Amino acid sequence: MSITREQIRELAEFQDEKSCAVSFYFQPSTPRNKAHKEDTILIKDLAREALHSMDSKDKKDAARADMDRILHLSSEFRSNGTHGKAVFACAAQNLWREYDVPPTLPGTQLFVDRHFHLKPIAHLLGASPLLGVVLVDRHRARIFDLRLGELTEREDLFHPLTRRGRSDGYAGYDGGHAQRRVEDETRQHFKNVAEALKGLLEKGVFEKWILACPDAHRALLESQLHSYVSQALMGRFHADLAHATRDEIRTHAQQIVEQWQSDRRRDLVGQALSQARSNGRGVTGLRRVLRSLELGEVQTLLLGESLQAHAVECSGCGHIDAHIVSFCPACGRATQEIVDVGEAILPWVIRRDIETFYVKDDPEFDKVGNIAALLRFRSENVQPISTTVADQLGKAGAAYPGRLRRFASR
């Protein structure tokens, strides 16, 4: 089963003070021999190291059952073939979640902490919109979901065309009439497809979509699309509905997605850096980004893959501070140091559904600390309504003192 945004949000909410939230990622590798024991040995070593690093017997006992279960399933992970695996578990709270993921993880990893480690999932899903792929010809449309590289058919719309007779009739009149009827039915079919897409976008089933069809049909469908359906179109590729295989559809669609993500990432980095320089809707650096996250200002978060920064997290309210302080400035509770601040802020980001991009090999981005954000607004630039109204009334009173007194007395 592939993971959904709602399930990731549930994982981001999870916390266990006894530090027994187990996160396991399995990346398939090519075995060096027929025994296929390398993965099992690696998982055993990871479990042993994780248990050794835990500072109390209670924590070790709490995590051991989940690690034993993961080790028991290691042979199944291998037989899974082309998929990676993500497992999130906490036996103390009777929680076990197991998901298929694309085999593009940085490696097989195991973590035990208060929170689940979600960075590998964030890499896969953070910048991926809910995506549909629509395969169309003159009388049929197949609509697919594309999630984490998996193509799943959602709808199959079929509009049979009227069969033409053997004769074109007197002076070809009947033939011309039949041809117009076929053209009208084809137009109606494309209109039905456009309405189906509009409904899927309105319901939030898709955020973006990709069109696959013969070149001759492209204009016929696109002329029927509502404006915001057209705006949600991510890309197009040529495909023959009768002969295109799922692998071909998935490959072409994935190429379009990757190009869209690359272009959007580059554009957003440029916007964030430019806006930050002009004190507009952009901030850079860990301290400023953390502040904007807490204020709810962030629209898009940009994280460098080489981000290295230390911070502290409050054990009470969850406040994260770039200053290494012993007590939380927000609530006064004790803090604990976090080494991977990029991982620590992910629960905030996921819960608030903030678009997230990981940036690699960008010298300009490196210079600003490998972290930046594009903002919805800057809170210091927003005046309270009461202040704004008072200023306006004050100006009006200065210009028209008699009128303002009359207005105030009503």
Side-chain angles (χ1 to χ4, degrees):
M1 176 173 72
S2 295
I3 194 167
T4 66
R5 287 185 181 178
E6 291 73 23
Q7 290 163 336
I8 292 176
R9 199 170 289 116
E10 176 194 356
L11 295 171
E13 297 281 357
F14 183 88
Q15 181 172 322
D16 187 272
E17 292 300 331
K18 295 180 179 178
S19 301
C20 63
V22 177
S23 309
F24 173 72
Y25 293 94
F26 174 73
Q27 169 63 23
S29 60
T30 304
R32 287 178 291 182
N33 57 58
K34 293 182 180 181
H36 293 194
K37 291 184 177 180
E38 297 98 324
D39 291 320
T40 301
I41 294 170
L42 173 60
I43 296 169
K44 281 184 178 179
D45 289 343
L46 291 173
R48 188 183 303 111
E49 290 171 11
L51 289 171
H52 182 70
S53 66
M54 300 177 78
D55 55 12
S56 77
K57 183 177 183 300
D58 289 343
K59 291 180 181 179
K60 291 180 181 181
D61 291 342
R64 195 183 305 276
D66 290 322
M67 294 193 189
D68 288 345
R69 186 174 175 182
I70 288 170
L71 188 59
H72 178 72
L73 291 174
S74 60
S75 59
E76 293 183 21
F77 296 154
R78 163 53 56 195
S79 63
N80 188 32
T82 59
H83 292 105
K85 276 285 184 181
V87 174
F88 305 95
C90 181
Q93 299 195 32
N94 195 31
L95 186 147
W96 178 275
R97 301 286 185 271
E98 184 180 329
Y99 302 104
D100 290 335
V101 296
T104 54
L105 298 167
T108 298
Q109 299 172 292
L110 190 149
F111 308 92
V112 185
D113 206 339
R114 293 189 304 131
H115 305 281
F116 289 124
H117 278 238
L118 301 173
K119 186 186 288 186
I121 290 290
H123 267 272
L124 295 171
L125 275 180
S128 296
L130 298 174
L131 187 65
V133 181
V134 183
L135 194 60
V136 182
D137 67 10
R138 290 191 313 123
H139 61 94
R140 188 181 176 194
R142 300 177 69 189
I143 301 177
F144 298 87
D145 290 311
L146 183 61
R147 301 283 189 275
L148 292 177
E150 289 293 318
L151 199 67
T152 306
E153 188 157 5
R154 173 175 288 275
E155 293 187 43
D156 191 339
L157 306 177
F158 182 71
H159 186 94
L161 300 181
T162 303
R163 297 177 64 87
R164 294 181 59 183
R166 294 183 180 178
S167 171
D168 286 340
Y170 179 72
Y173 175 80
D174 289 345
H177 186 70
Q179 180 61 32
R180 285 191 297 275
R181 184 167 63 248
V182 169
E183 291 172 356
D184 288 343
E185 290 175 348
T186 301
R187 192 177 299 108
Q188 184 61 45
H189 165 61
F190 285 126
K191 185 176 181 181
N192 292 341
V193 175
E195 286 298 315
L197 280 168
K198 181 172 177 285
L200 290 167
L201 285 161
E202 286 176 340
K203 293 174 184 176
V205 176
F206 298 148
E207 295 169 335
K208 295 285 183 181
W209 66 287
I210 292 171
L211 173 61
C213 69
D215 295 338
H217 298 158
R218 186 178 296 171
L220 294 173
L221 174 61
E222 293 190 19
S223 65
Q224 301 288 340
L225 298 176
H226 189 281
S227 59
Y228 70 78
V229 179
S230 296
Q231 291 166 8
L233 179 59
M234 182 184 285
R236 313 165 182 83
F237 63 91
H238 175 88
D240 184 343
L241 187 149
H243 300 103
T245 67
R246 286 191 177 227
D247 284 344
E248 290 171 345
I249 298 167
R250 181 174 56 249
T251 298
H252 285 297
Q254 202 63 46
Q255 288 172 349
I256 290 172
V257 172
E258 289 170 4
Q259 185 61 53
W260 178 85
Q261 288 176 330
S262 177
D263 293 344
R264 183 160 172 75
R265 181 187 299 109
R266 184 170 55 251
D267 180 55
L268 289 171
V269 169
Q271 285 186 52
L273 298 186
S274 174
Q275 289 286 330
R277 283 193 289 266
S278 62
N279 201 34
R281 291 189 309 107
V283 290
T284 58
L286 180 61
R287 183 179 60 81
R288 294 185 184 90
V289 170
L290 288 176
R291 179 178 181 276
S292 293
L293 281 170
E294 287 199 329
L295 291 172
E297 298 174 339
V298 176
Q299 175 178 302
T300 301
L301 178 66
L302 302 159
L303 294 169
E305 293 202 8
S306 56
L307 173 64
Q308 297 289 333
H310 289 252
V312 293
E313 182 180 17
C314 175
S315 58
C317 68
H319 168 74
I320 298 178
D321 203 310
H323 298 102
I324 309 301
V325 293
S326 300
F327 298 96
C328 175
C331 72
R333 294 278 295 273
T335 64
Q336 56 186 15
E337 189 170 355
I338 48 178
V339 176
D340 190 347
V341 70
E343 175 69 52
I345 63 178
L346 281 180
W348 288 10
V349 173
I350 293 168
R351 287 196 297 266
R352 298 175 185 181
D353 204 22
I354 295 171
E355 183 181 37
T356 305
F357 280 90
Y358 284 86
V359 182
K360 185 177 181 181
D361 300 331
D362 188 320
E364 289 299 313
F365 197 68
D366 290 344
K367 291 177 183 177
V368 299
N370 273 294
I371 186 169
L374 198 62
L375 309 180
R376 296 184 178 91
F377 60 90
R378 267 187 183 269
S379 55
E380 66 261 31
N381 294 339
V382 179
Q383 282 188 306
I385 293 176
S386 58
T387 303
T388 304
V389 171
D391 288 347
Q392 290 175 347
L393 289 176
K395 292 175 183 177
Y400 306 103
R403 292 184 187 179
L404 184 58
R405 281 195 298 272
R406 288 196 298 274
F407 175 78
S409 65
R410 290 179 186 175

